[in-house]
């Protein structure tokens, strides 16, 4: 009976460990990616650091491709960053062509949803012809990235932080379950110890008398 109880507690502890780690990682990814997008929107592309596993470069490439196709920026010629010779805030390029093409191949319906959301959040027409052709595609791209960052920071950053906190609580609960499992798996030793103590007490006590 004790072994079955210990097995159940151990199984529950393993679930807490796995789900705690998964939730923490998911929250951390949200927080890190939103931070990266904020950096991308305010930093010249040539000064961007790769980030964890090159994810900051990938996020820059994806949003650049997303902007070009969603805003129909036909005058925007995007080249590899290795060929870029200037260092201006409004410069644009890609580090990984495959990631850039992923953003470039975004379906039209998803594009319109992204544009509507980001423009509402940033309160500007980031895909207007004036912004792209008259001002500069690079400046319009930074506005697009800023709008994406503003939206994610307002609605998804709190979720990322909550995931980290909730996952940490579950992970801490794992240690409590592990302790209970260890106690439940050794009841015989505790009973033997208690019996040994009782026997020693009886032997060392006063002799029993018959009434």
């Amino acid at each position: 009976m004790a072994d079955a109880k210990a097995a159940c507690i151990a199984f529950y502890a393993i679930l807490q460990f796995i789900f705690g780690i998964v939730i923490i990682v998911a929250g951390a990814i949200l927080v890190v990616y939103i931070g990266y997008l904020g950096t991308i929107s305010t930093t010249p592309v040539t000064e961007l650091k790769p980030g964890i596993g090159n994810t900051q470069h990938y996020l820059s490439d994806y949003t650049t491709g997303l902007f070009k196709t969603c805003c129909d920026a036909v005058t925007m010629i995007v080249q590899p960053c290795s060929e870029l010779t200037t260092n201006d805030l409004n410069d644009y390029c890609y580090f990984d062509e495959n990631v850039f093409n992923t953003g470039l191949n975004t379906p039209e319906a998803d594009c319109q949803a992204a544009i509507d959301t980001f423009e509402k959040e940033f309160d500007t027409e980031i895909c207007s012809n004036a912004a792209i052709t008259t001002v500069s595609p690079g400046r319009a791209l930074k506005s697009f990235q800023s709008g994406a960052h503003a939206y994610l920071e307002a609605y998804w950053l709190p979720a990322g932080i909550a995931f980290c906190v909730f996952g940490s609580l579950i992970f801490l609960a794992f240690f409590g379950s592990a302790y209970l499992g260890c106690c439940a798996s050794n009841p015989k030793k505790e009973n033997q110890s208690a019996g040994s103590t009782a026997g020693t007490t009886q032997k060392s006590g006063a002799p029993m008398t018959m009434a």
Side-chain angles (χ1 to χ4, degrees):
M1 185 68 178
D3 290 341
K5 181 179 179 181
C8 290
I9 295 176
F11 177 73
Y12 183 63
I14 291 171
L15 289 180
Q16 287 178 319
F17 178 82
I18 293 173
F19 282 106
I21 293 296
V22 169
I23 294 173
I24 290 172
V25 170
I29 289 174
L30 276 175
V31 173
V32 170
Y33 271 40
I34 292 170
Y36 280 168
L37 193 54
T39 301
I40 290 167
S41 65
T42 58
T43 305
V45 66
T46 52
E47 296 181 8
L48 284 178
K49 296 180 180 179
I52 301 172
N54 294 324
T55 51
Q56 187 159 247
H57 282 177
Y58 293 157
L59 192 57
S60 174
D61 294 342
Y62 178 79
T63 53
T64 300
L66 187 68
F67 169 78
K68 179 173 171 58
T69 189
C70 291
C71 293
D72 194 25
V74 293
T75 60
M76 184 180 182
I77 308 300
V78 185
Q79 60 183 338
C81 291
S82 58
E83 299 178 6
L84 198 63
T85 57
T86 58
N87 182 30
D88 186 77
L89 178 62
N90 297 322
D91 287 337
Y92 47 87
C93 61
Y94 60 78
F95 297 94
D96 188 300
E97 188 174 7
N98 291 329
V99 179
F100 170 72
N101 287 334
T102 300
L104 201 62
N105 295 327
T106 302
E108 184 177 351
D110 295 340
C111 273
Q112 192 58 50
I115 291 170
D116 292 344
T117 300
F118 298 162
E119 287 187 346
K120 178 181 179 181
E121 206 54 48
F122 201 65
D123 195 26
T124 184
E125 295 183 2
I126 54 178
C127 283
S128 67
N129 289 331
I132 296 173
T133 58
T134 305
V135 182
S136 77
R139 186 174 298 179
L141 170 62
K142 290 299 182 185
S143 295
F144 182 85
Q145 291 168 336
S146 295
H149 175 251
Y151 171 77
L152 293 175
E153 187 175 49
Y155 297 103
W156 286 97
L157 183 59
I161 295 173
F163 277 16
C164 290
V165 173
F166 183 60
S168 298
L169 293 176
I170 294 178
F171 184 73
L172 290 175
F174 153 76
F175 292 101
S177 298
Y179 175 77
L180 291 176
C182 290
C183 292
S185 64
N186 296 317
K188 293 182 179 180
K189 292 183 179 180
E190 293 178 2
N191 292 336
Q192 289 173 357
S193 176
S196 176
T197 302
T200 302
T201 302
Q202 184 175 356
K203 288 180 182 179
S204 61
M208 297 178 65
T209 59
M210 298 295 293

